Amino acid sequence: MGVLAQYAQHLALSEKTPRITLGEGGTPLVSAPRIGSALGIELYLKFEGQNPTGSFKDRGMVMAVAKALEDGASAIVCASTGNTSASAAAYAAAAGLRAVVVVPAGRVAQGKLAQALIYGAQIVAVEGNFDDALTIVRRLAEGGEFTLVNSVNPWRIEGQKTGAFEVVDALGDAPDILAIPVGNAGNISAYAKGFREYRAAGKLRTAPKLLGFQAAGAAPFVAGAPVVNPETVATAIRIGNPASWDLALAAVEEFGGGFYAVEDDEILAAQRRVASEAGVFPEPASAAPLAGLERLHREGRLPRGARVVAVLTGNGLKDPDAALRAAAPVNTVRAEFEAVREAIAG
Ligand code: F0G
């Protein structure tokens, strides 16, 4: 059905906003009892990898592109670590808009690049990081030819707040804790907006604490200042100077919670764990909240019995290289029964 139709009365739509959709939203809230009981919590995974382009970005992009169409735009532009570019390219393709995306050279997962290319976007890779790319596209958008569809475009946040609505609709109330990866900080701000609005509408009793997880090499909120050369295996959140800094800080102050850093090896271990113990395959960045919950549990800082939702923001299939690097190599044997039986013998 799509989020514009599903949540029409909660979104700032006008009569003229085209109700476009690629079938975004309506993603599953998967119960993960094996991991949950090990951590002493009631754990749910909001699997955003099920969106049409495989990430949560589609919720915001459908809204941003609908508003761009309403305003008569003919071209959109964004900087991206990969997922925003894939989403922008898809919605632009369906709407007949030109899409230009600027990405950090050599640091975008293959699947995301393939998506942006096949959907027909113009891609420019810059010899710099996401923060450099965002500075450039902001300036491009100032020229008036392009509508900027990064999350500094408020329609992106407006659409992404529907993730919070779906969590509350599925549970019948807010969870105690929402655990979410933080890069440019748009999504944590969007969830805060969604919970705030549902609270005002009387749809939840108490708002959740917001726990934002960053990769240790790209953790400006934990450092309290921008990071000049962000570095992490979780390329989606390799961001040193988040655009929604103030919004995200205000959200955590209002709801309680905090920002935490997790190491790359913890992220990759959590990715393997959530795939092999919950049957859900997130990309590395999306495993950061799981890595963070494990760390808080080890440190005795995770409240026992808490109802926790971890937002798994993107699909693991986007970055098979990361998964293959982390896994044991495939064992190749002769095409004979005995050889296969021997290979699988514990
Ligand atoms: N998880 C994934 C899979 C992402 O792609 C991103 C951001 C985030 C988490 C962080 O969300 O930026 O709202 O705090 N990806 C952007 C992109 C930057 O270009 O695709 P955020």
Side-chain angles (χ1 to χ4, degrees):
M1 164 181 234
V3 296
L4 301 190
Q6 180 71 40
Y7 290 108
Q9 76 271 40
H10 293 284
L11 295 168
L13 303 171
S14 83
E15 264 170 33
K16 281 188 281 163
T17 315
R19 303 303 202 262
I20 58 173
T21 183
L22 289 176
E24 63 292 323
T27 59
L29 189 68
V30 181
S31 171
R34 289 181 66 194
I35 302 176
S37 64
L39 299 183
I41 57 176
E42 185 187 336
L43 178 64
Y44 297 90
L45 311 171
K46 180 65 172 161
F47 190 37
E48 290 291 275
Q50 294 275 40
N51 276 297
T53 77
S55 86
F56 71 97
K57 304 287 180 180
D58 295 338
R59 297 178 183 280
M61 200 57 70
V62 70
M63 186 79 197
V65 169
K67 285 292 178 179
L69 288 170
E70 182 177 344
D71 295 342
S74 58
I76 62 174
V77 69
C78 66
S80 183
T81 56
N83 282 323
T84 300
S85 64
S87 187
Y91 284 88
L97 298 177
R98 178 179 171 208
V100 170
V101 306
V102 180
V103 300
R107 304 309 285 267
V108 175
Q110 290 287 315
K112 302 175 188 178
L113 265 188
Q115 287 181 289
L117 286 166
I118 202 80
Y119 292 132
Q122 274 178 282
I123 303 185
V124 183
V126 293
E127 294 163 343
N129 58 36
F130 170 85
D131 306 294
D132 302 318
L134 184 58
T135 303
I136 293 165
V137 297
R138 277 180 190 263
R139 214 171 131 190
L140 261 179
E142 276 166 18
E145 189 187 346
F146 293 98
T147 301
L148 184 63
V149 295
N150 282 104
S151 55
V152 292
N153 177 332
W155 298 124
R156 280 278 313 280
I157 308 243
E158 175 75 1
Q160 282 169 217
K161 76 184 182 188
T162 59
F165 293 168
E166 287 183 14
V167 166
V168 175
D169 289 345
L171 292 176
D173 200 348
D176 300 313
I177 291 172
L178 186 93
I180 187 167
V182 174
N184 213 23
N187 209 30
I188 191 171
S189 308
Y191 270 80
K193 187 169 200 280
F195 289 127
R196 201 178 287 129
E197 292 180 8
Y198 253 24
R199 186 174 54 195
K203 295 203 180 226
L204 52 91
R205 281 191 295 274
T206 44
K209 288 198 161 38
L210 301 180
L211 307 190
F213 294 98
Q214 303 208 281
F221 283 106
V222 180
V227 171
V228 180
N229 289 312
E231 208 42 87
T232 170
V233 66
T235 51
I237 52 172
R238 186 172 164 264
I239 294 173
N241 190 13
S244 294
W245 183 276
D246 294 341
L247 277 181
L249 272 190
V252 166
E253 196 161 302
E254 175 186 349
F255 288 88
F259 297 98
Y260 305 86
V262 284
E263 300 293 336
D264 277 3
D265 56 356
E266 293 177 298
I267 289 175
L268 293 176
Q271 184 194 27
R272 278 196 300 280
R273 184 175 193 187
V274 73
S276 64
E277 294 183 27
V280 176
F281 180 23
E283 64 171 284
S286 309
L290 247 301
L293 291 171
E294 286 177 353
R295 181 186 271 232
L296 291 176
H297 172 70
R298 277 199 307 277
E299 294 170 354
R301 294 157 73 197
L302 198 56
R304 239 200 126 64
R307 189 183 252 200
V308 180
V309 170
V311 185
L312 304 192
T313 45
N315 199 307
L317 291 171
K318 284 170 171 278
D319 193 356
D321 296 340
L324 287 169
R325 269 199 309 274
V330 174
N331 191 1
T332 304
V333 300
R334 292 185 311 280
E336 289 165 11
F337 176 79
E338 287 301 335
V340 172
R341 199 171 61 170
E342 203 172 296
I344 62 174

